[in-house]
Amino acid sequence: RLSRCADDEYAGVVLDLSAVPVDSDALPLVMVAAAGWFQQLMACPGPQRVQILDEAWALLGNRHTAGYLQTCFKLGRTYGVANLCITHRASDLVAQADDGSATSKLAAGLLADSATKIILRQSPDQIDAAVDHFGLTDPEAAIVGQLARGRALWKLGGRSAVVQHILGPSEEAICDTDARMDGRAPVDGAEAA
């Protein structure tokens, strides 16, 4: 599903692939087509843009979409595009490939190329992976295992800070991902996120 949204301040495109089953043969084909289309869109001259790739680990399962992700990071400044890749765990990025493979190296390179890393609370079994992938110090590792909801460890270059995220009223709808789990109707607008 492709949605366009526009108002006085913002314009955006949302490509929702949730209707394509994760284990289907069609998903890699749809993702390759979408990645090609988005690559052309990002290369077009225009205003500065933000590209948000939710469940970014899925792009690493195919060499074409993994290449798209790499291109986004390498040419982001050239295209005027800031890339935000979202995964649940650091280990999700490298779980898509065997150790030492080109895709595994690409995932490690993407993490290294990320100027800012925002790490929310990690479960105890994920702390070691977070340490390895994000280069956390011992105090940082202790912090990410204890973070409260809405708090994150931000790593910017050689600096770190614990940040409390505060949502404005217009942001609550797109951030309410618990509605389906709780059996509630999504907050207005959340179903489009």
Side-chain angles (χ1 to χ4, degrees):
R1 181 178 73 177
L2 181 63
S3 304
R4 290 186 173 271
C5 52
D7 64 24
D8 294 340
E9 294 184 55
Y10 309 102
V13 175
V14 176
L15 180 60
D16 179 358
L17 301 181
S18 63
V20 183
V22 174
D23 60 351
S24 76
D25 292 336
L27 185 60
L29 300 172
V30 171
M31 288 175 63
V32 167
W37 182 75
F38 266 111
Q39 191 160 7
Q40 292 300 314
L41 181 68
M42 292 297 144
C44 291
Q48 293 179 338
R49 291 162 274 197
V50 176
Q51 177 174 226
I52 302 170
L53 301 159
D54 193 9
E55 304 293 356
W57 60 268
L59 292 169
L60 294 169
N62 176 288
R63 69 180 175 93
H64 297 293
T65 53
Y68 166 71
L69 197 55
Q70 184 179 38
T71 299
C72 290
F73 272 66
K74 296 292 184 189
L75 299 178
R77 289 180 187 270
T78 302
Y79 294 160
V81 177
N83 295 289
L84 296 154
C85 291
I86 303 168
T87 64
H88 292 274
R89 305 178 302 249
S91 61
D92 286 344
L93 290 174
V94 295
Q96 299 304 306
D98 296 327
D99 289 342
S101 70
T103 303
S104 174
K105 291 175 183 174
L106 189 145
L110 292 174
L111 283 171
D113 287 346
S114 299
T116 303
K117 297 169 184 77
I118 303 168
I119 308 157
L120 298 167
R121 180 180 60 229
Q122 298 292 299
S123 63
D125 66 329
Q126 294 300 309
I127 300 293
D128 289 341
V131 167
D132 291 344
H133 299 303
F134 297 122
L136 301 180
T137 64
D138 288 341
E140 289 170 342
I143 288 169
V144 299
Q146 307 279 328
L147 290 168
R149 185 181 184 112
R151 285 197 179 145
L153 174 70
W154 282 54
K155 291 185 63 79
L156 298 99
R159 305 191 78 170
S160 299
V162 174
V163 175
Q164 176 68 45
H165 299 177
I166 300 172
L167 296 176
S170 64
E171 298 166 318
E172 289 177 11
I174 62 171
C175 294
D176 183 11
T177 59
D178 291 337
R180 281 189 159 171
M181 295 297 291
D182 296 344
R184 316 179 259 121
V187 177
D188 291 341
E191 64 276 356

